[in-house]
Amino acid sequence: MVPGLDDGSSLFNFVVRDGNGVKGMVDLGLSTVPKPYVQPPKERIDKRMATRHEGAPIDLSRLDGPDHDEVVKEIVMAAETLGFFQLVNHGVPVDLLESLKDAAHDFFGQPSEKKAVYRKEVSPSPLVKYGTSFVPEKEKALEWKDYISMIYTNDAEALQQWPKECREVALEYLKTSMTMVRRLLEILMGNLGVELDDTKIDGLIGMKMVNMNFYPTCPDPDLTVGVGRHSDMGTLTILLQDGIGGLYVKVAEEIANIGKKGEWVEIPPVPGALVINIGDALQILSNGKYKSAEHRVRTTSMKSRVSVPIFTSPRPSEKIAPLPQVVEKDGMACYREVIFGDYMRNFFRNVHDGKKPLEFAQI
């Protein structure tokens, strides 16, 4: 055990309050997992109990040819079942994705004091937050992850206020992803009978955020989690994985060739691919037709892992409810209308606990 970090409060102060993060703790030298990070057995990720998702990624470039309808069907089917799919030929340059992973390693490779300036309590910008775990003050067991979170308002503020180690490449990633996001939303909303214009698009993804996640090597991955069970709160999440892997998705209802209800499926990294997952807002808007995916992340003892998600969500002031076209067809609404800002506050106030946040909007 690391000297001085063998009691819970010293470790919490060092990792969370002083901003050293999990990486700072690991850098001191660890041979065992500190007690505050040991997950209860039911939350641990047993690789042997999970299957690998072996389905081919969806080739988005095929939308522009004779296979258009088939690709639409694949995207809709994935959204209605697992809530997760992988895309290739998505329009985001692969060399940009490689630069993004390098930038994440550059940021987290800095001395702790350089990262700690962005801690929530002291950050020079309301757009940037550096932290660790999810809600460390409330968690019974901490998550083995550090992150930097960057809210997008406009290009000028991003280039001025996001950390200089990663701002240009993170902004480019966000901007080049938006054509793909728009196409996906046109397909998914079109399938529900909704035609999108710029105002409606803004209503769905008016808030955007880029995170960089860092999962340091762990002495015993069987005891820990990188991220606990949760679904994302927003509309669509776009995720860049590195080649290490560790992302697991829960099968909500039995899916042929994928898994049985309640099983966990690993989403293996595919070079050049982006992972897309459905968020809670889209599940609410579709009246449950599209499934926000419950997922979690396993740690690794081999090599530190990075991932870079873009979270797209309605603005906090936006009201969200099942779409009238869908309710008419279904005969009843499964969710009440909520102000998205209220949904967000509830989401960030509680520890990760599967899809429990959706209960906030359920009728």
Short mmCIF file of all heavy atoms in Angstrom, two decimals, residues 287-317:
data_model
loop_
_atom_site.label_atom_id
_atom_site.label_comp_id
_atom_site.label_asym_id
_atom_site.label_seq_id
_atom_site.Cartn_x
_atom_site.Cartn_y
_atom_site.Cartn_z
N ASN A 287 -40.55 7.56 -26.67
CA ASN A 287 -41.50 6.83 -25.82
C ASN A 287 -41.04 5.39 -25.55
O ASN A 287 -41.84 4.47 -25.44
CB ASN A 287 -42.90 6.83 -26.46
CG ASN A 287 -44.00 6.65 -25.41
OD1 ASN A 287 -43.87 7.10 -24.27
ND2 ASN A 287 -45.08 5.99 -25.78
N GLY A 288 -39.71 5.22 -25.48
CA GLY A 288 -39.15 3.91 -25.16
C GLY A 288 -38.84 3.04 -26.36
O GLY A 288 -38.32 1.93 -26.21
N LYS A 289 -39.13 3.54 -27.56
CA LYS A 289 -38.85 2.75 -28.78
C LYS A 289 -37.34 2.57 -28.94
O LYS A 289 -36.85 1.49 -29.25
CB LYS A 289 -39.45 3.45 -29.99
CG LYS A 289 -39.46 2.61 -31.26
CD LYS A 289 -40.20 3.35 -32.38
CE LYS A 289 -40.16 2.62 -33.70
NZ LYS A 289 -40.90 1.35 -33.70
N TYR A 290 -36.59 3.66 -28.75
CA TYR A 290 -35.12 3.58 -28.77
C TYR A 290 -34.64 3.39 -27.33
O TYR A 290 -35.18 3.99 -26.40
CB TYR A 290 -34.51 4.84 -29.38
CG TYR A 290 -34.92 5.07 -30.82
CD1 TYR A 290 -35.19 6.36 -31.29
CD2 TYR A 290 -35.05 4.01 -31.72
CE1 TYR A 290 -35.57 6.58 -32.62
CE2 TYR A 290 -35.43 4.21 -33.03
CZ TYR A 290 -35.70 5.50 -33.48
OH TYR A 290 -36.08 5.70 -34.78
N LYS A 291 -33.62 2.56 -27.17
CA LYS A 291 -33.17 2.19 -25.83
C LYS A 291 -31.84 2.88 -25.47
O LYS A 291 -30.84 2.68 -26.16
CB LYS A 291 -32.96 0.67 -25.75
CG LYS A 291 -34.15 -0.18 -26.24
CD LYS A 291 -35.31 -0.13 -25.26
CE LYS A 291 -36.42 -1.10 -25.62
NZ LYS A 291 -37.24 -0.70 -26.76
N SER A 292 -31.88 3.67 -24.41
CA SER A 292 -30.59 4.19 -23.93
C SER A 292 -29.83 3.01 -23.34
O SER A 292 -30.40 2.18 -22.63
CB SER A 292 -30.79 5.30 -22.89
OG SER A 292 -31.37 4.82 -21.71
N ALA A 293 -28.56 2.93 -23.67
CA ALA A 293 -27.79 1.72 -23.36
C ALA A 293 -27.16 1.81 -21.99
O ALA A 293 -26.43 2.75 -21.69
CB ALA A 293 -26.71 1.54 -24.42
N GLU A 294 -27.43 0.80 -21.15
CA GLU A 294 -26.74 0.70 -19.87
C GLU A 294 -25.34 0.13 -20.14
O GLU A 294 -25.22 -0.92 -20.76
CB GLU A 294 -27.52 -0.20 -18.90
CG GLU A 294 -26.90 -0.26 -17.53
CD GLU A 294 -27.72 -1.08 -16.53
OE1 GLU A 294 -28.91 -1.33 -16.78
OE2 GLU A 294 -27.14 -1.48 -15.50
N HIS A 295 -24.32 0.82 -19.68
CA HIS A 295 -22.96 0.36 -19.98
C HIS A 295 -22.02 0.67 -18.81
O HIS A 295 -22.37 1.38 -17.88
CB HIS A 295 -22.44 1.01 -21.27
CG HIS A 295 -22.48 2.51 -21.28
ND1 HIS A 295 -23.65 3.23 -21.37
CD2 HIS A 295 -21.49 3.43 -21.22
CE1 HIS A 295 -23.38 4.53 -21.37
NE2 HIS A 295 -22.07 4.68 -21.26
N ARG A 296 -20.84 0.06 -18.86
CA ARG A 296 -19.83 0.26 -17.83
C ARG A 296 -18.46 -0.04 -18.43
O ARG A 296 -18.36 -0.56 -19.54
CB ARG A 296 -20.11 -0.62 -16.62
CG ARG A 296 -20.18 -2.11 -16.92
CD ARG A 296 -20.63 -2.91 -15.71
NE ARG A 296 -20.64 -4.35 -15.97
CZ ARG A 296 -20.85 -5.25 -15.03
NH1 ARG A 296 -21.07 -4.89 -13.78
NH2 ARG A 296 -20.85 -6.54 -15.32
N VAL A 297 -17.41 0.29 -17.69
CA VAL A 297 -16.05 0.15 -18.21
C VAL A 297 -15.19 -0.63 -17.21
O VAL A 297 -15.19 -0.33 -16.01
CB VAL A 297 -15.42 1.53 -18.48
CG1 VAL A 297 -13.95 1.40 -18.91
CG2 VAL A 297 -16.21 2.28 -19.56
N ARG A 298 -14.47 -1.60 -17.73
CA ARG A 298 -13.55 -2.40 -16.92
C ARG A 298 -12.17 -1.74 -16.95
O ARG A 298 -11.78 -1.12 -17.93
CB ARG A 298 -13.47 -3.82 -17.49
CG ARG A 298 -12.60 -4.78 -16.69
CD ARG A 298 -12.61 -6.17 -17.33
NE ARG A 298 -11.40 -6.91 -16.98
CZ ARG A 298 -11.27 -7.68 -15.90
NH1 ARG A 298 -12.28 -7.82 -15.08
NH2 ARG A 298 -10.14 -8.32 -15.66
N THR A 299 -11.42 -1.88 -15.86
CA THR A 299 -10.04 -1.37 -15.84
C THR A 299 -9.09 -2.40 -16.45
O THR A 299 -9.49 -3.52 -16.76
CB THR A 299 -9.61 -1.05 -14.39
OG1 THR A 299 -9.73 -2.24 -13.61
CG2 THR A 299 -10.49 0.04 -13.78
N THR A 300 -7.85 -2.02 -16.59
CA THR A 300 -6.85 -2.92 -17.19
C THR A 300 -5.54 -2.83 -16.41
O THR A 300 -5.20 -1.77 -15.87
CB THR A 300 -6.62 -2.56 -18.67
OG1 THR A 300 -5.51 -3.31 -19.16
CG2 THR A 300 -6.30 -1.09 -18.86
N SER A 301 -4.82 -3.94 -16.36
CA SER A 301 -3.51 -3.93 -15.68
C SER A 301 -2.38 -3.74 -16.68
O SER A 301 -1.22 -3.59 -16.30
CB SER A 301 -3.32 -5.25 -14.92
OG SER A 301 -3.39 -6.33 -15.85
N MET A 302 -2.73 -3.75 -17.99
CA MET A 302 -1.70 -3.76 -19.03
C MET A 302 -1.14 -2.37 -19.33
O MET A 302 0.05 -2.15 -19.35
CB MET A 302 -2.28 -4.33 -20.33
CG MET A 302 -3.02 -5.64 -20.16
SD MET A 302 -1.90 -7.02 -19.97
CE MET A 302 -1.33 -7.19 -21.64
N LYS A 303 -2.06 -1.43 -19.56
CA LYS A 303 -1.65 -0.14 -20.10
C LYS A 303 -2.76 0.85 -19.82
O LYS A 303 -3.94 0.49 -19.84
CB LYS A 303 -1.50 -0.31 -21.62
CG LYS A 303 -0.64 0.71 -22.30
CD LYS A 303 -0.55 0.37 -23.78
CE LYS A 303 0.16 1.50 -24.54
NZ LYS A 303 0.02 1.36 -25.97
N SER A 304 -2.42 2.10 -19.53
CA SER A 304 -3.46 3.10 -19.30
C SER A 304 -4.31 3.28 -20.55
O SER A 304 -3.81 3.28 -21.66
CB SER A 304 -2.83 4.44 -18.91
OG SER A 304 -2.16 4.30 -17.67
N ARG A 305 -5.62 3.44 -20.33
CA ARG A 305 -6.58 3.52 -21.43
C ARG A 305 -7.16 4.93 -21.50
O ARG A 305 -7.39 5.56 -20.46
CB ARG A 305 -7.70 2.50 -21.18
CG ARG A 305 -8.86 2.54 -22.15
CD ARG A 305 -9.92 1.50 -21.77
NE ARG A 305 -11.00 1.46 -22.75
CZ ARG A 305 -12.14 2.10 -22.63
NH1 ARG A 305 -12.37 2.85 -21.57
NH2 ARG A 305 -13.07 2.01 -23.57
N VAL A 306 -7.42 5.43 -22.71
CA VAL A 306 -8.14 6.70 -22.86
C VAL A 306 -9.38 6.47 -23.72
O VAL A 306 -9.43 5.57 -24.56
CB VAL A 306 -7.28 7.82 -23.50
CG1 VAL A 306 -6.14 8.23 -22.60
CG2 VAL A 306 -6.76 7.43 -24.88
N SER A 307 -10.40 7.29 -23.48
CA SER A 307 -11.55 7.33 -24.37
C SER A 307 -12.01 8.79 -24.44
O SER A 307 -11.78 9.56 -23.51
CB SER A 307 -12.69 6.42 -23.89
OG SER A 307 -13.25 6.93 -22.70
N VAL A 308 -12.63 9.14 -25.56
CA VAL A 308 -13.04 10.54 -25.76
C VAL A 308 -14.49 10.59 -26.25
O VAL A 308 -14.75 10.40 -27.44
CB VAL A 308 -12.11 11.28 -26.75
CG1 VAL A 308 -12.41 12.78 -26.74
CG2 VAL A 308 -10.64 11.03 -26.44
N PRO A 309 -15.44 10.80 -25.34
CA PRO A 309 -16.83 10.93 -25.78
C PRO A 309 -17.23 12.37 -26.09
O PRO A 309 -16.70 13.32 -25.49
CB PRO A 309 -17.62 10.42 -24.56
CG PRO A 309 -16.73 10.70 -23.39
CD PRO A 309 -15.31 10.71 -23.88
N ILE A 310 -18.16 12.51 -27.03
CA ILE A 310 -18.89 13.76 -27.22
C ILE A 310 -20.31 13.48 -26.73
O ILE A 310 -20.95 12.53 -27.19
CB ILE A 310 -18.96 14.18 -28.71
CG1 ILE A 310 -17.57 14.46 -29.27
CG2 ILE A 310 -19.87 15.41 -28.88
CD1 ILE A 310 -17.57 14.69 -30.79
N PHE A 311 -20.78 14.28 -25.79
CA PHE A 311 -22.15 14.14 -25.30
C PHE A 311 -23.01 15.22 -25.94
O PHE A 311 -22.71 16.41 -25.82
CB PHE A 311 -22.20 14.29 -23.77
CG PHE A 311 -21.41 13.25 -23.03
CD1 PHE A 311 -20.20 13.57 -22.41
CD2 PHE A 311 -21.85 11.93 -22.95
CE1 PHE A 311 -19.47 12.61 -21.72
CE2 PHE A 311 -21.12 10.96 -22.27
CZ PHE A 311 -19.93 11.30 -21.66
N THR A 312 -24.05 14.82 -26.66
CA THR A 312 -24.98 15.80 -27.22
C THR A 312 -26.31 15.67 -26.48
O THR A 312 -26.79 14.55 -26.26
CB THR A 312 -25.20 15.58 -28.73
OG1 THR A 312 -25.90 14.34 -28.94
CG2 THR A 312 -23.89 15.54 -29.49
N SER A 313 -26.88 16.80 -26.09
CA SER A 313 -28.09 16.80 -25.26
C SER A 313 -28.97 18.00 -25.62
O SER A 313 -28.48 18.97 -26.19
CB SER A 313 -27.73 16.96 -23.77
OG SER A 313 -26.79 16.03 -23.36
N PRO A 314 -30.23 17.95 -25.22
CA PRO A 314 -31.03 19.16 -25.29
C PRO A 314 -30.45 20.23 -24.35
O PRO A 314 -29.76 19.89 -23.38
CB PRO A 314 -32.42 18.71 -24.80
CG PRO A 314 -32.43 17.22 -24.96
CD PRO A 314 -31.01 16.80 -24.73
N ARG A 315 -30.76 21.49 -24.61
CA ARG A 315 -30.33 22.54 -23.67
C ARG A 315 -31.09 22.37 -22.35
O ARG A 315 -32.20 21.85 -22.33
CB ARG A 315 -30.65 23.93 -24.24
CG ARG A 315 -29.87 24.30 -25.47
CD ARG A 315 -30.23 25.70 -25.91
NE ARG A 315 -29.80 25.94 -27.28
CZ ARG A 315 -28.56 26.27 -27.65
NH1 ARG A 315 -27.62 26.37 -26.73
NH2 ARG A 315 -28.27 26.46 -28.91
N PRO A 316 -30.50 22.84 -21.24
CA PRO A 316 -31.17 22.68 -19.94
C PRO A 316 -32.58 23.29 -19.90
O PRO A 316 -33.45 22.79 -19.17
CB PRO A 316 -30.24 23.42 -18.97
CG PRO A 316 -28.89 23.34 -19.62
CD PRO A 316 -29.14 23.41 -21.09
N SER A 317 -32.84 24.34 -20.68
CA SER A 317 -34.16 25.00 -20.65
C SER A 317 -35.21 24.26 -21.50
O SER A 317 -36.40 24.56 -21.43
CB SER A 317 -34.03 26.43 -21.17
OG SER A 317 -33.46 26.41 -22.47
#
